[in-house]
Amino acid sequence: MSNDEIFAAAYREHYWAVSRYVARRLDGRTGEVEEVVAEVFTVAWRRRAELPHTPLPWLYGVARNCLANAVRGQGRRRRLLARLGNDDAAHGRHIASGPDAEPPGGWVHEALGRLSAKDQEVLRLTAWEELGVDELAVALGCGSRAASMRLHRARARLRTEIDRMGPASAPAPHRPHPATAVDATPAKEHGHG
């Protein structure tokens, strides 16, 4: 198979997976998603001789870089619009649909949002894109052991954030004192009755 045919097969097979990957990270902003996905496949076309046998994790790695470039460009745009003074987002105004506007599972996104961008990406690659550790390593551009360690640490940090978000006023569950635990068992088990 020629490099062109390999690229064409990768494009056909993985276009929608890459699109979903990008859309999740850009909250579905369609115009921006299409631009980033186009950039991903432009890079893949230019580097088609480097496409691995299993290209999806590699494409996710390219998409990460393209997204980083897009985010930097958005930051420059926001700063320019803020200087011009004609953008609602530059002034911190946004539209909410009411006091209960938080989407279902918003607390998970809040906990995830408290993590570093690198931890967020590791967790998203494994949860949203369903990558295994070896594929995660390819997407991150590191070895499998490093990817496994990064995933382990990111999960631990997420658990910590979720624990911090737990209700502070909730009473601790009742656990019998070890000395009275035997007394809590039914009398029949002790030969009484």
Side-chain angles (χ1 to χ4, degrees), residues 172-185:
H174 174 71
R175 292 194 179 98
H177 188 273
T180 61
V182 174
D183 297 337
T185 58

Side-chain angles (χ1 to χ4, degrees), residues 96-114:
S97 60
D100 298 327
E102 184 175 331
W107 61 273
V108 174
H109 293 287
E110 183 181 339
L112 188 63
R114 293 178 181 190

Side-chain angles (χ1 to χ4, degrees), residues 9-10 12 18 26 43 57 67-68 80 88 90 98 101 103 110 120 124 127 167 170 179 185 190:
R12 280 191 308 274
V18 171
L26 291 177
V43 170
L67 281 164
L80 174 63
D88 285 346
E110 183 181 339
Q120 289 179 36
R124 287 176 177 149
T185 58
H190 290 291

Side-chain angles (χ1 to χ4, degrees), residues 1 83 135 140 142:
M1 216 187 236
R83 279 184 277 170
E135 295 167 320
L140 297 175
C142 64

Side-chain angles (χ1 to χ4, degrees), residues 117-126 136 140 150-151 154:
K118 288 182 179 184
D119 282 348
Q120 289 179 36
E121 185 61 9
V122 167
L123 294 169
R124 287 176 177 149
L125 282 166
T126 56
L136 178 65
L140 297 175
R150 285 176 66 178
L151 176 60

